[in-house]
Amino acid sequence: TFAPYCATINTYDSSWNLIYSTDLSTLKTGDVVNFCVTGSASSGSFDMARFIINGVQQTDTTTRRPDSTDFCQSYTLPEGTSTFTVSAQIHHSTEGWI
């Protein structure tokens, strides 16, 4: 048995295609991306996630990437911002926010 943990954050375009880190610099103002987080646990389940994007906590989300267990946050790239810091927490049914 192991403690649940937040495993990874990936970025997808609006059609759910993975955007590789080498391609992130091609994004521009107005592009819509989906930041997605996944977790891992030996028991229990995950029921939501929350993202912090450039220091601003987003609304908790239960949106899932199609055919996956990832929780995702849609985000439109704002004008005048060229770098992004994204972190996430995932909510476990018995352990709470991780």
Side-chain angles (χ1 to χ4, degrees):
T1 303
F2 61 91
Y5 64 93
C6 182
T8 186
I9 300 173
N10 286 310
T11 307
Y12 296 86
D13 65 17
S14 58
S15 298
W16 301 106
N17 299 302
L18 180 64
I19 301 173
Y20 294 95
S21 58
T22 53
D23 296 326
L24 291 174
S25 63
T26 65
L27 295 171
K28 58 191 180 311
T29 298
D31 285 349
V32 176
V33 297
N34 291 289
F35 294 117
C36 298
V37 63
T38 187
S40 186
S42 57
S43 64
S45 61
F46 297 104
D47 55 5
M48 69 179 115
R50 61 181 169 205
F51 291 81
I52 298 172
I53 303 170
N54 285 352
V56 178
Q57 184 170 314
Q58 308 298 303
T59 303
D60 295 351
T61 180
T62 57
T63 300
R64 290 188 185 258
R65 185 168 59 89
D67 302 317
S68 81
T69 58
D70 300 0
F71 287 97
C72 302
Q73 174 71 56
S74 178
Y75 187 75
T76 302
L77 302 181
E79 188 173 351
T81 303
S82 59
T83 59
F84 295 88
T85 303
V86 179
S87 62
Q89 291 181 299
I90 194 163
H91 190 266
H92 188 266
S93 57
T94 59
E95 300 295 321
W97 288 106
I98 333 181

